[in-house]
Amino acid sequence: MSTLSTRYAPADIENKWYQHWLQKGYFHSEPDEREAFSIVIPPPNVTGVLHMGHMLNNTIQDTLIRKARLDGKNACWVPGTDHASIATEAKVVKWLRAEKGLKKSDLTREEFLKYAWQWTDKYGGIILEQLRRLGSSCDWERTAFTMDEVRSQGVLKAFVDLYHSNKLYRDFRMVNWDVEAKTVLSNEEVIHGEEQAQLYHVFYKVEGSENEGVTIATQRPETIPGDTAVAVHPKDPRYAHLKGKKLIVPMVHRAIPVIFDEYVDREFGTGALKVTPAHDPNDYDLGKKHGLETIDILNDDGFLNEKAGVPELIGKERFIARKMTKKLLEAEGCLVKIEDYKTKIGRSERTGSVVEPKLSLQWYVNMKALAKPAAEAVEKDEIEFFPKQFKNMYRSWMDGIRDWCISRQLWWGHRIPAWYLGNDIFVALTAEEALAQAQSKTGNNSLTINDLRQEEDVLDTWFSSWLWPITVFDGFNPDSKDFNYYYPTSVLVTGWDIIFLWVARMAMAGYEWKQELPFKNVYFTGMVRDINRKKMSKSLGNSPDALALLDLYGADGVRFGMLATAPAGGDLIFDAPYNAATKTTENTSALCEQGRNFCNKMWNASRLIKGWNVDEQLPTPAKNELARRWITHKKRQVLVEIEENFKQFRLSEALMTLYKFIWDDFCSWYLEMIKPDYEQPIDAKTLETAIDIYDDLMIMLHPFMPFITEEIYHQLKRRTKDCIISKYPKTGRINADLLHAVESAKGIIVKVREIRNNKGLKQRELLDLYVQKSDFSKDLLEMDGMKSMILKSAVLTDVQIIEQEPANSVSFIVGTDKFYLVLKEEIDVEVERAKIFQALENARGFLRSVEVKLNNQKFVANAAAAVLAKERQKWADGQARVAILEESLAKLN
């Protein structure tokens, strides 16, 4: 008898099996003769904690890696974390201030980095521990960090290589500046959102005139002291008289030229544009074109400097200066009006600070020199995207690719390996190599390292991330066995939102250093969104606590909830309810509850099987043999569907196919078919088949729900091998006629049960069933075991073939066959007529929809032969069904 508890308790099971898998070393991989299947984790920030996006992404990766392991491949999933320069430095600065009473400015670079490593060692990597709760089967022995020794050496080598191949340079350019982090940001690190703002309309007098002038409109009046021109369109008649004249800049009273340029939009505002070359990218371009002076009035911290030239504004923070500017303009009589309006404002992805356009000397990678092979690889499907639609997004970005600003004004990160001596730059892996270069160039062998000054900036975090598939396998080491075996990786799983920041750059790095793609496939996940389709975020309060979900539903329940409605590239609408009163999201989910219920369903099926007593002498009933054949062929059919879904990375579809097969076909039908009568034994062959089939189902489901499948796999019988390393079941010949026959039988049983429910009949009351004579009904009932299975499941005394409709019967149709269930009560003819009439209307509607398809010449010309044949069969069956219903209605009338 069963010794299993009445309910599945994930808390008791999950830690037991995870520790067992670790002790057995199942997650670890070493190169061997097997086919490699490798995945590198998109490294989460070392500052991060588990959130919904992580759970979706890593559940998908774990599903793929576990499936590969079951397929006999040498599966290697490399975990790791990203040093996240801006985010980590901000955390360390906050920690130093709160716990040690220190400011960054109180410390030397070396002192700050010492504290940064302390913080990282203490708090960093928490997320990797949390991923274990999810069941992630990473090769933890290979855990990498973007600032560890191997990865750091790869980063330095890449920088040096690019510099010496003239693909990397230093230049003054307009950049996105984060005044809070005091560093440059890439365009992708700036988040633009619509916000309420004010438009200041300011009057600039013509030099030497009291009343003549031009009104301009600006959102940033504090930058007025940096103006060096006003631009108008050359064909704008309103300003033709200003040729050769100058305007006076309010507050600073400096004369500036009026320039004429077709860049100006005559229809926008007043058609006059203030030009501030140091503080706007478009103005900078105009300034270069017209030879304008560039006046940078803003310090790196967002405070106005001496160049602002207005005593009241110097030393003031930019937004305070904006308020003061309003008063100064009003005092001068130059402020025409202030207009409220909505506009897109760029903010730093990390600090949330409003980004300032700023001229700065930075390091850049020439991306056009790297892009071509990476673009062609995706275009030719050498790197295959799932879903395909993201090829268009990728192509669009690659066609308009811009150079990559890779320097950041931070201390935490990879310090740029460049040394300066006067105006000379020496780029090398070490200070010693840079010194040798300097001595060679200058001919001065008495130079020492102290004579050189190393670059203060660090590299953009993504500069280490784009090398990740190479460096995790020590790919810059020519003798690396790991790299030669595991690279290129099998699949990359990532969000489409970093297709440019990461995916494209990794492709470029792979071809630049290895002349090979870094991954064969890219699976793009969608965003995890709330029920209002807003991206889930803890800062918005619309995201549940990931760990609380795991506590409530178990890892398998959560994994099911994440994957059940997560199509490749499509957003996952997660159903955690929002509490308006507390402005928080509750840690509950109907999707995860469905997953937990599924666990309980499988647990109860296991208890049922384990509870049966076996009689070794008992022969196998014909209906059980039929059930065995049916479930075997059905399993083969499901295996074909699942394999096809895995090939196309349709994991949601694969999981739901398996879910329906286990819940409906195996638990609700197969086990009911073979279940012995109360307190009666089961024959040995049937029980063995049930256990073997359930074994296979646990292996098939294991990639999606690893904990419960491992537990049930071991509960079913004694094992010398674990589910995690079993062999994935293989498909075989599929008997389509058998499957069709059993589906028809199931249809009969369902209809009989529906009539019982509608008529209020007892479920165990024996009834007689008749079927109109046809070749199919004859073959169906003569199939070995079929009649006895129908009689048992539908609770019937008999099923007979007849040619005439029996008295006092209710009819129904399955396929194209008509059945009559004889009742022990008078039939309400009007009710029966209404029911048949409605069924006839539905059948005619279905037939019309099929006819529309078949009458569509474009559909007929382009449809595959199998699809066309299926539609024509639908039409034939539909006609037969309509004819049967019309006949039934005529008899009643």
Side-chain angles (χ1 to χ4, degrees):
M1 294 294 289
S2 172
T3 58
L4 295 178
S5 60
T6 55
R7 289 182 69 82
Y8 174 61
D12 300 336
I13 302 300
E14 291 171 2
N15 186 61
K16 175 185 80 173
W17 284 118
Y18 200 83
Q19 292 306 315
H20 174 77
W21 295 330
L22 285 174
Q23 288 165 8
K24 289 286 189 177
Y26 292 146
F27 303 165
H28 183 59
S29 173
E30 291 290 342
D32 61 22
E33 71 286 349
R34 290 175 293 168
E35 178 187 347
F37 186 94
S38 55
I39 298 178
V40 294
I41 197 172
N45 287 355
V46 72
T47 60
V49 292
L50 194 65
H51 61 59
M52 301 302 289
H54 292 136
M55 289 214 295
L56 173 61
N57 190 288
N58 286 279
T59 296
I60 291 169
Q61 290 177 83
D62 194 49
T63 298
L64 294 172
I65 212 76
R66 286 179 182 271
K67 174 63 164 60
R69 200 177 283 126
L70 291 170
D71 284 337
K73 297 174 184 176
N74 191 347
C76 179
W77 182 15
V78 183
T81 50
D82 189 294
H83 64 279
S85 292
I86 297 176
T88 304
E89 185 151 319
K91 292 267 189 184
V92 173
V93 167
K94 187 177 179 181
W95 172 67
L96 286 172
R97 186 170 57 245
E99 294 196 13
K100 301 187 182 296
L102 293 171
K103 293 186 293 185
K104 182 182 174 183
S105 57
D106 297 333
L107 304 171
T108 65
R109 185 186 195 114
E110 289 69 27
E111 289 169 338
F112 178 83
L113 289 175
K114 182 180 176 183
Y115 283 121
W117 278 108
Q118 283 181 18
W119 186 93
T120 302
D121 292 341
K122 185 175 181 179
Y123 298 106
I126 290 173
I127 189 169
L128 296 185
E129 289 301 315
Q130 294 171 336
L131 285 177
R132 296 175 184 235
R133 284 282 314 274
L134 192 63
S136 300
S137 57
C138 300
D139 188 344
W140 299 110
E141 295 176 42
R142 293 181 177 273
T143 302
F145 178 49
T146 50
M147 275 181 64
D148 64 25
E149 183 63 27
V150 172
R151 265 48 66 180
S152 294
Q153 285 302 308
V155 167
L156 298 181
K157 184 181 188 313
F159 185 94
V160 173
D161 284 353
L162 289 174
Y163 181 80
H164 290 297
S165 60
N166 296 317
K167 294 171 184 171
L168 191 150
Y169 61 94
R170 198 167 179 242
D171 193 14
F172 266 107
R173 289 192 179 185
M174 187 65 66
V175 298
N176 303 304
W177 188 261
D178 183 335
V179 300
E180 188 174 327
K182 299 184 187 65
T183 184
V184 66
L185 303 173
S186 68
N187 290 328
E188 290 78 15
E189 292 169 310
V190 179
I191 307 301
H192 293 273
E194 195 171 76
E195 298 186 28
Q196 194 67 41
Q198 290 185 314
L199 205 56
Y200 294 75
H201 294 255
V202 183
F203 186 72
Y204 286 49
K205 292 179 182 178
V206 173
E207 185 180 30
S209 169
E210 279 301 315
N211 301 316
E212 187 183 9
V214 175
T215 298
I216 61 92
T218 178
Q219 182 193 318
R220 300 158 67 212
E222 70 279 7
T223 65
I224 286 175
D227 289 357
T228 55
V230 168
V232 296
H233 196 281
K235 294 182 180 178
D236 193 332
R238 293 174 293 177
Y239 303 116
H241 67 288
L242 293 178
K243 283 186 179 178
K245 293 187 179 182
K246 292 191 174 183
L247 302 175
I248 301 299
V249 179
M251 298 184 291
V252 294
H253 310 120
R254 185 177 66 249
I256 58 173
V258 178
I259 62 173
F260 293 80
D261 198 288
E262 292 184 350
Y263 166 77
V264 179
D265 183 355
R266 285 178 284 180
E267 305 303 319
F268 182 77
T270 64
L273 178 76
K274 71 189 275 298
V275 182
T276 319
H279 298 288
D280 183 274
N282 296 317
D283 291 7
Y284 177 66
D285 292 339
L286 277 173
K288 284 206 300 185
K289 181 178 178 181
H290 293 274
L292 300 177
E293 183 183 2
T294 299
I295 304 173
D296 188 349
I297 66 166
L298 205 63
N299 290 331
D300 289 351
D301 58 3
F303 284 71
L304 273 66
N305 59 36
E306 296 287 338
K307 292 179 182 178
V310 183
E312 295 91 337
L313 301 181
I314 295 170
K316 298 298 188 294
E317 191 274 332
R318 55 183 171 157
F319 294 123
I320 293 173
R322 182 175 296 178
K323 292 178 181 177
M324 296 179 70
T325 299
K326 175 177 176 285
K327 294 179 181 178
L328 293 171
L329 292 172
E330 284 175 335
E332 287 192 13
C334 297
L335 186 60
V336 178
K337 66 176 180 177
I338 298 177
E339 179 184 357
D340 290 332
Y341 82 122
K342 284 189 174 181
T343 186
K344 294 271 188 178
I345 292 178
R347 290 183 177 271
S348 167
E349 183 183 33
R350 294 298 174 197
T351 66
S353 176
V354 174
V355 170
E356 284 288 341
K358 182 175 171 60
L359 265 180
S360 185
L361 180 61
Q362 303 290 339
W363 287 90
Y364 293 87
V365 176
N366 179 356
M367 299 300 274
K368 287 186 175 66
L370 305 178
K372 187 178 179 182
E376 289 178 349
V378 172
E379 204 61 40
K380 296 176 181 177
D381 285 334
E382 292 166 7
I383 297 175
E384 198 164 357
F385 281 3
F386 296 90
K388 301 288 187 189
Q389 69 205 48
F390 289 106
K391 284 177 68 173
N392 296 328
M393 182 186 287
Y394 182 89
R395 184 189 307 116
S396 173
W397 188 76
M398 294 295 272
D399 287 347
I401 197 166
R402 291 180 289 187
D403 287 354
W404 176 16
C405 178
I406 58 170
S407 45
R408 298 292 183 269
Q409 290 63 53
L410 302 165
W411 283 350
W412 175 250
H414 299 99
R415 192 172 181 179
I416 291 176
W419 285 261
Y420 302 98
L421 181 66
N423 293 325
D424 292 325
I425 302 175
F426 304 100
V427 172
L429 290 174
T430 65
E432 290 74 19
E433 289 180 19
L435 176 61
Q437 290 178 24
Q439 289 173 339
S440 174
K441 182 169 184 178
T442 62
N444 183 0
N445 290 332
S446 64
L447 287 174
T448 67
I449 287 175
N450 293 333
D451 294 316
L452 304 181
R453 177 179 60 85
Q454 187 176 357
E455 171 67 73
E456 292 289 329
D457 293 351
V458 299
L459 288 162
D460 177 13
T461 297
W462 293 101
F463 196 87
S464 53
S465 300
W466 79 322
L467 303 171
W468 189 245
I470 298 173
T471 57
V472 293
F473 297 120
D474 198 12
F476 285 111
N477 174 4
D479 299 323
S480 173
K481 291 181 181 178
D482 284 350
F483 180 82
N484 293 331
Y485 181 73
Y486 295 112
Y487 188 96
T489 59
S490 305
V491 59
L492 173 73
V493 180
T494 187
W496 59 262
D497 54 324
I498 54 174
I499 190 171
F500 314 133
L501 279 170
W502 198 40
V503 179
R505 289 172 179 169
M506 281 190 288
M508 286 185 260
Y511 283 104
E512 174 66 14
W513 281 284
K514 297 299 172 182
Q515 296 75 53
E516 192 174 9
L517 48 82
F519 27 70
K520 298 163 189 169
N521 303 292
V522 181
Y523 175 107
F524 288 107
T525 66
M527 297 289 180
V528 183
R529 300 187 184 275
D530 64 17
I531 53 177
N532 296 315
R533 294 191 173 271
K534 289 183 179 177
K535 182 180 177 181
M536 278 195 166
S537 165
K538 288 191 175 180
S539 62
L540 294 176
N542 67 342
S543 177
D545 184 317
L547 295 176
L549 290 175
L550 290 170
D551 289 338
L552 182 60
Y553 299 109
D556 289 328
V558 172
R559 288 168 68 114
F560 179 94
M562 299 301 294
L563 282 182
T565 56
D571 292 339
L572 165 60
I573 309 302
F574 199 75
D575 62 340
Y578 181 73
N579 188 322
T582 61
K583 295 184 178 179
T584 58
T585 296
E586 297 177 13
N587 298 316
T588 58
S589 162
L591 290 170
C592 296
E593 186 174 3
Q594 184 183 2
R596 183 176 63 184
N597 292 343
F598 186 30
C599 290
N600 285 325
K601 180 79 171 179
M602 292 185 289
W603 189 254
N604 288 333
S606 182
R607 291 180 66 236
L608 177 68
I609 294 170
K610 290 278 287 181
W612 287 337
N613 291 317
V614 65
D615 184 342
E616 300 285 350
Q617 307 304 316
L618 201 64
T620 301
K623 69 176 181 61
N624 288 13
E625 179 60 22
L626 172 68
R628 180 194 68 78
R629 291 173 55 230
W630 167 69
I631 199 69
T632 299
H633 285 269
K634 185 68 177 177
K635 182 194 73 175
R636 290 173 182 172
Q637 184 185 59
V638 167
L639 277 167
V640 171
E641 292 178 31
I642 290 174
E643 284 301 312
E644 185 57 33
N645 282 327
F646 264 102
K647 285 177 185 175
Q648 297 300 317
F649 295 94
R650 295 193 295 256
L651 302 191
S652 179
E653 291 87 340
L655 173 59
M656 294 314 294
T657 296
L658 201 44
Y659 168 78
K660 290 170 185 173
F661 179 51
I662 294 173
W663 189 293
D664 296 335
D665 293 312
F666 183 78
C667 294
S668 299
W669 284 103
Y670 172 70
L671 292 183
E672 287 299 314
M673 290 176 187
I674 65 169
K675 185 170 70 175
D677 292 335
Y678 182 65
E679 292 190 342
Q680 295 300 307
I682 193 169
D683 68 280
K685 183 179 179 182
T686 297
L687 181 60
E688 181 183 358
T689 297
I691 291 174
D692 287 346
I693 292 290
Y694 210 18
D695 270 357
D696 283 351
L697 295 184
M698 291 304 96
I699 297 170
M700 291 159 67
L701 186 62
H702 180 81
F704 302 98
M705 304 173 76
F707 293 109
I708 190 167
T709 52
E710 188 73 80
E711 178 68 17
I712 291 177
Y713 185 78
H714 281 270
Q715 291 286 356
L716 289 171
K717 56 185 174 184
R718 291 182 180 275
R719 305 285 182 184
T720 58
K721 198 173 186 180
D722 293 318
C723 183
I724 188 176
I725 56 166
S726 299
K727 287 186 177 180
Y728 200 81
K730 301 295 182 187
T731 189
R733 184 185 65 84
I734 298 170
N735 187 333
D737 291 338
L738 172 64
L739 294 180
H740 177 63
V742 174
E743 286 304 313
S744 298
K746 286 164 62 181
I748 296 166
I749 295 162
V750 167
K751 287 290 186 181
V752 170
R753 289 173 178 172
E754 284 178 359
I755 292 170
R756 285 182 187 276
N757 288 333
N758 293 338
K759 300 292 183 182
L761 303 177
K762 293 178 182 178
Q763 293 300 316
R764 306 309 300 173
E765 181 180 345
L766 291 169
L767 299 173
D768 289 327
L769 182 67
Y770 297 90
V771 56
Q772 206 162 48
K773 185 177 181 181
S774 72
D775 290 341
F776 180 76
S777 61
K778 181 174 179 293
D779 292 343
L780 182 71
L781 294 180
E782 288 179 355
M783 185 177 288
D784 200 20
M786 183 64 77
K787 187 173 181 178
S788 60
M789 189 270 284
I790 294 172
L791 293 178
K792 179 194 174 188
S793 298
V795 192
L796 302 170
T797 50
D798 199 6
V799 182
Q800 296 182 37
I801 296 173
I802 58 170
E803 295 187 8
Q804 295 293 323
E805 180 176 343
N808 207 38
S809 63
V810 175
S811 64
F812 60 86
I813 296 172
V814 175
T816 58
D817 286 284
K818 190 171 184 180
F819 293 81
Y820 306 93
L821 186 66
V822 177
L823 304 182
K824 298 172 184 177
E825 61 179 40
E826 287 295 320
I827 300 297
D828 188 325
V829 175
E830 289 305 318
V831 171
E832 191 65 15
R833 181 185 287 115
K835 188 181 78 172
I836 294 174
F837 181 79
Q838 185 59 53
L840 180 58
E841 287 298 296
N842 292 340
R844 285 170 174 165
F846 173 77
L847 190 59
R848 283 193 296 270
S849 70
V850 177
E851 286 172 344
V852 167
K853 266 190 181 180
L854 292 175
N855 290 332
N856 184 330
Q857 293 182 355
K858 189 174 180 181
F859 170 76
V860 173
N862 296 321
V867 173
L868 203 54
K870 190 173 182 180
E871 291 301 318
R872 285 172 174 154
Q873 186 61 52
K874 282 183 186 177
W875 181 79
D877 291 345
Q879 276 202 320
R881 187 177 179 82
V882 166
I884 291 170
L885 288 167
E886 287 176 339
E887 182 186 349
S888 295
L889 194 60
K891 286 182 178 178
L892 278 176
N893 290 334

